[in-house]
Amino acid sequence: MSLSFTVSERILCYHGPLVYEAKILKAETWDETNTKLSTVGPHFFVHYKGWKQTWDEWVPITRLLKFNDTNVQLQKALMAQASAAASTSGSSSKGKAHGGGMIKDSSSSRGGGLGRKDGRGTKRGREEDDSSKKPEMKLNVPEVLKVLLVDDWEAITKNSQLVSVPRSPTVVEILQQFKDYVIGLGKNTTLREPELVLPTIISGLQVYFDRSLGANLLYRFERPQYAEMRKQYVTGPKVQVGQEKDMSAIYGAEHLLRMLVSLPQMVSSSTMDAESVGLVRDYVNELLTYVVSPFCYTYLLMSGEGL
């Protein structure tokens, strides 16, 4: 990432589907020996404006935005959508947990399932309310992708075949192509405000992928290959500081598909409300439709390949 951030800088920070004003308190570059979050590269300890120090946290650079007019407008637009959704559902105008974000009158509010700033709204109360009506994400997975998921499983677990990596196109490239495709549709799309929402969706999917790949998306036979990719592009002695690559810039459509069909389970354990889930669902369903052709193309390239 070409953008640089400094200690004491006023910034905006993604938390769930929303963006919040924050200040950088510390900056560190982590490797496999000193990471605090099982992630490596530049990380920043941030304080969210308007919230107690107990909510300060370390975040990767992928969650930071420069504090400028364009990003402030994005923040306001996302907050306005969330507030409107909260009002529609009959929630209080002073505060409501929304998709991992706290909706308040102030644009400096932040998320993570916090209670109200004055302490009268409790996390326990929110969790009890959420538990009684957890939103579900129902995806429309094209039949061809269902077949390819089975073929993917058989190729790896039964035939000991591996998807060759680095992949082309990568997850990053597929998501960028999807973004360009949706923006290019202009008004010929039913998706809600793509120019404002898409950057958040794309960023969130990429972060989800990078965090879940090693933990949830690999078969046992693939783990040595994953360790080798980490060594080659992240932790190895030949990797220069600042030149590390996220796994979303290495892996491709096969593993992206595994992540997409796993999203309903991820969402079920999150604090996202029905409005946010619906928004993500619509974009992911559109992505699943879009990815069919690129996925078939890249998958055919790996047919018969093994390591």
Side-chain angles (χ1 to χ4, degrees):
M1 180 173 292
S2 58
L3 289 178
S4 60
F5 298 89
T6 59
V7 173
S8 298
E9 181 176 352
R10 182 188 188 190
I11 51 110
L12 295 171
C13 185
Y14 278 109
H15 193 101
L18 301 179
V19 176
Y20 304 91
E21 183 178 342
K23 180 180 180 180
I24 296 175
L25 303 181
K26 304 176 187 176
E28 295 181 1
T29 299
W30 298 345
D31 57 28
E32 295 287 348
T33 65
N34 64 358
T35 179
K36 298 179 177 70
L37 300 174
S38 300
T39 54
V40 296
H43 286 72
F44 302 86
F45 193 68
V46 300
H47 170 71
Y48 294 93
K49 182 179 179 182
W51 296 100
K52 295 180 180 180
Q53 292 180 352
T54 52
W55 297 106
D56 296 354
E57 64 175 341
W58 284 101
V59 300
I61 194 172
T62 52
R63 282 175 53 185
L64 302 190
L65 293 172
K66 286 291 184 180
F67 194 96
N68 56 38
D69 290 342
T70 299
N71 291 332
V72 168
Q73 287 304 312
L74 171 63
Q75 177 200 26
K76 291 180 178 179
L78 294 174
M79 189 65 67
Q81 290 177 10
S83 296
S87 298
T88 301
S89 62
S91 62
S92 170
S93 63
K94 290 186 178 181
K96 176 180 173 64
H98 182 90
M102 179 65 188
I103 310 306
K104 295 196 307 179
D105 294 336
S106 169
S107 62
S108 65
S109 57
R110 76 148 294 201
L114 302 180
R116 279 170 38 182
K117 187 178 179 181
D118 59 11
R120 287 175 291 175
T122 66
K123 182 177 180 181
R124 179 179 179 183
R126 180 191 59 75
E127 290 175 341
E128 291 174 348
D129 180 68
D130 284 353
S131 64
S132 63
K133 51 178 181 179
K134 277 286 186 181
E136 295 182 1
M137 174 185 286
K138 296 183 179 180
L139 298 180
N140 300 318
V141 181
E143 288 300 320
V144 64
L145 295 185
K146 294 178 181 178
V147 172
L148 289 175
L149 279 168
V150 175
D151 290 346
D152 184 32
W153 173 79
E154 288 186 345
I156 294 169
T157 61
K158 293 186 177 182
N159 301 329
S160 298
Q161 292 177 305
L162 290 171
V163 178
S164 60
V165 288
R167 209 75 176 113
S168 180
T170 64
V171 171
V172 171
E173 291 169 338
I174 292 171
L175 293 177
Q176 182 59 49
Q177 291 166 5
F178 173 67
K179 178 181 177 181
D180 295 341
Y181 162 75
V182 173
I183 295 298
L185 292 176
K187 296 182 179 180
N188 298 319
T189 179
T190 58
L191 296 174
R192 188 188 310 174
E193 300 186 74
E195 292 188 359
L196 289 175
V197 176
L198 257 178
T200 303
I201 297 292
I202 297 301
S203 176
L205 290 176
Q206 185 176 336
V207 169
Y208 264 136
F209 182 87
D210 288 325
R211 290 185 175 181
S212 62
L213 177 63
N216 303 314
L217 303 182
L218 298 175
Y219 297 107
R220 182 179 301 178
F221 187 66
E222 295 178 296
R223 292 194 174 279
Q225 181 191 49
Y226 172 74
E228 179 60 30
M229 290 300 101
R230 292 274 301 172
K231 181 178 179 181
Q232 185 173 345
Y233 294 100
V234 182
T235 64
K238 296 182 179 180
V239 180
Q240 298 182 4
V241 176
Q243 299 299 314
E244 303 92 343
K245 285 189 176 182
D246 291 328
M247 291 297 100
S248 53
I250 305 298
Y251 285 78
E254 296 84 359
H255 293 82
L256 174 62
L257 177 58
R258 295 183 203 173
M259 189 270 287
L260 293 177
V261 298
S262 299
L263 277 177
Q265 292 178 328
M266 297 182 188
V267 167
S268 67
S269 60
S270 74
T271 58
M272 294 175 66
D273 68 3
E275 183 74 13
S276 298
V277 170
L279 187 64
V280 174
R281 178 202 61 218
D282 291 344
Y283 274 89
V284 171
N285 277 329
E286 185 71 20
L287 175 57
L288 286 169
T289 300
Y290 169 80
V291 84
V292 169
S293 294
F295 185 90
C296 288
Y297 175 71
T298 53
Y299 193 91
L300 288 174
L301 289 180
M302 75 79 76
S303 260
E305 290 185 6
L307 296 181

